[in-house]
Amino acid sequence: MTAHRSPNALPWLLVSLAVIVLDQWTKQIVLGALNHLERVEVIPGFLNWTLAFNTGAAFSFLADENGWQRWLFTALAIGVSAVLVVWIGRTARSDWRTALPLSLIVGGALGNLIDRVRLGHVTDFIQVYHGDWYFPAFNIADSAISVGAVLLILFGFASGKGAGSEG
């Protein structure tokens, strides 16, 4: 007699694929339309398109190093993505509160990984600001990682049982 097991959440990786496609597509548009550090005002006083290249991690962490960080962040993206894909594979397909955030994080990590391996840097272009305060430029992949992490935390707190619980 075999135990009944619900289908796993691996189809949620289609969300990851959508993030990667959207991320790479928008980066190609920006690379063709803007010059490095050129600013195009989108919402005055709040949002610019600004082409920037980041050789470091989030908020340009380690960007001033001599290149070794490229391979560190490449290895980290591969390792974290692999762990998250295994987690998704062990998650019930119906557990969207776990599968969706993890899929967003995987898509974002792989979107930036493609840039890092192909170009040696990550292409950023979304710049939020107010007055003289500017948030570091970011991209669709960064947004997916951030939203996924916040959702994972929120759903974990909301369930009261941790992020891996069904609901």
Side-chain angles (χ1 to χ4, degrees), residues 31-96:
L31 285 168
L34 296 177
N35 295 314
H36 186 239
L37 300 180
E38 176 184 358
R39 290 184 183 163
V40 175
E41 195 173 60
V42 178
I43 301 174
F46 180 71
L47 180 69
N48 290 330
W49 297 146
T50 303
L51 179 59
F53 303 117
N54 182 1
T55 57
F59 311 116
S60 297
F61 175 66
L62 296 178
D64 293 332
E65 295 298 318
N66 63 4
W68 62 266
Q69 74 277 21
R70 173 184 184 187
W71 304 112
L72 171 67
F73 297 132
T74 296
L76 280 172
I78 292 168
V80 167
S81 295
V83 167
L84 296 182
V85 167
V86 168
W87 187 355
I88 292 168
R90 294 180 178 172
T91 299
R93 188 172 302 168
S94 62
D95 185 4
W96 67 271

